Amino acid sequence: MALAEAGARGRLLLWPRVFLFGDSITEFSFQENGWGASLAERLVRKCDVVNRGLSGYNTRWAKVILPRLISKSTGAESTVAVTIFFGANDSALKDLNPKQHVPLEEYTANLKSMVQYLKSVDITEDRIILITPPPLQESAWEKECLAKGDKLNRRNATTGQYAQACVQVAKDCGTDVLDLWTLMQKDQDFSSYLSDGLHLSTKGNSFLAAQLWSCLEKKLSALPSLLPYWRDVDHLNPEASLL
């Protein structure tokens, strides 16, 4: 059978997708042992995991570009879950990092704006997961700052305020939330979850992957595996199984 004929007979296979939107902690999530890579491995025959992490970005910039990444005409219908994972940069101290800093009230408004936008393109709140920034290990991050000639430009208590705001937005908007800031500090020493005081270590990636999967599993459990297992293909008439 010619390929063109096969294409005419078989409808186009559209993989559902999970959309990861965030800052560097999302961008880096496809690295070896990353939480995004772990998620993609779990879902490889069920849906695509799309990484739209943007290192250094805050919610002020994120809400501007979100409509350029997801719209009704670019697969919103096939989007089965979206994670929104910002706050690590928004919570930077204004005096020491004015470029990335976003005031707490604006951060709250920006998160709500992004949730409302997704709902406007028919991604319902039950498919949206907000993730709070992780806790900040100040002494380790201070070393990173000093190595670049800067002062410590974030504080864990401040990051916690942004995490609480993120949790409140989720309650107000009816979305799920993964409160990473609180969950990681249930262990008194959370430093092992972080590679440099801010970004996730291998252990931190594994922790986030497990927490996120427990949240996603119920949303995605009904998704079928796409295309039959190879042993189930009729080798004498493959078109009957594959088209």
Side-chain angles (χ1 to χ4, degrees):
M1 181 188 295
L3 286 178
E5 184 183 345
R9 280 186 53 193
R11 59 188 175 82
L12 184 66
L13 268 176
L14 293 175
W15 254 242
R17 64 179 187 167
V18 174
F19 195 92
L20 310 180
F21 188 41
D23 52 33
S24 58
I25 302 174
T26 298
E27 182 175 332
F28 301 162
S29 73
F30 271 28
Q31 294 178 351
E32 187 176 5
N33 299 316
W35 62 272
S38 173
L39 187 61
E41 185 178 9
R42 279 182 180 269
L43 295 170
V44 68
R45 285 289 291 275
K46 294 194 169 188
C47 61
D48 289 333
V49 178
V50 179
N51 186 335
R52 292 294 180 267
L54 300 154
S55 181
Y57 274 52
N58 56 30
T59 57
R60 181 180 292 165
W61 306 342
K63 76 167 188 177
V64 173
I65 60 168
L66 183 57
R68 300 184 64 198
L69 303 177
I70 300 178
S71 71
K72 283 186 180 179
S73 63
T74 57
E77 182 182 329
S78 63
T79 301
V80 291
V82 178
T83 60
I84 300 177
F85 189 4
F86 290 95
N89 297 316
D90 298 69
S91 60
L93 302 176
K94 182 179 180 180
D95 293 345
L96 295 169
N97 190 348
K99 183 163 186 174
Q100 291 178 299
H101 169 80
V102 171
L104 187 59
E105 286 186 7
E106 184 189 341
Y107 169 75
T108 298
N110 291 342
L111 285 179
K112 287 183 177 179
S113 174
M114 286 189 276
V115 171
Q116 293 304 321
Y117 171 74
L118 291 174
K119 289 170 69 175
S120 78
V121 295
D122 299 331
I123 297 176
T124 50
E125 57 266 34
D126 59 306
R127 287 185 274 164
I128 302 168
I129 302 170
L130 302 186
I131 306 177
T132 77
L136 181 81
Q137 215 285 319
E138 292 180 12
S139 58
W141 185 244
E142 186 171 26
K143 288 180 183 177
E144 295 289 318
C145 293
L146 291 173
K148 297 173 184 175
D150 299 326
K151 295 179 181 178
L152 178 65
N153 57 20
R154 290 165 170 79
R155 292 284 183 186
N156 190 40
T158 305
T159 303
Q161 294 174 348
Y162 285 71
Q164 290 170 9
C166 181
V167 170
Q168 188 59 50
V169 169
K171 287 179 181 176
D172 293 343
C173 295
T175 71
D176 283 339
V177 64
L178 187 52
D179 185 359
L180 211 53
W181 190 86
T182 298
L183 288 167
M184 283 187 166
Q185 289 183 94
K186 285 186 176 177
D187 286 342
Q188 282 195 316
D189 180 14
F190 61 87
S191 59
S192 61
Y193 289 128
L194 304 167
S195 62
D196 56 6
L198 177 69
H199 300 95
L200 302 182
S201 63
T202 297
K203 182 179 177 182
N205 273 283
S206 178
F207 181 83
L208 174 50
Q211 296 290 333
L212 182 58
W213 182 248
S214 68
C215 190
L216 278 171
E217 191 172 15
K218 60 182 180 290
K219 300 180 190 299
L220 307 181
S221 59
L223 289 177
S225 288
L226 293 163
L227 295 173
Y229 181 56
W230 71 271
R231 290 187 186 278
D232 297 330
V233 175
D234 181 349
H235 67 288
L236 298 176
N237 183 18
E239 290 85 358
S241 303
L242 302 176
L243 294 178

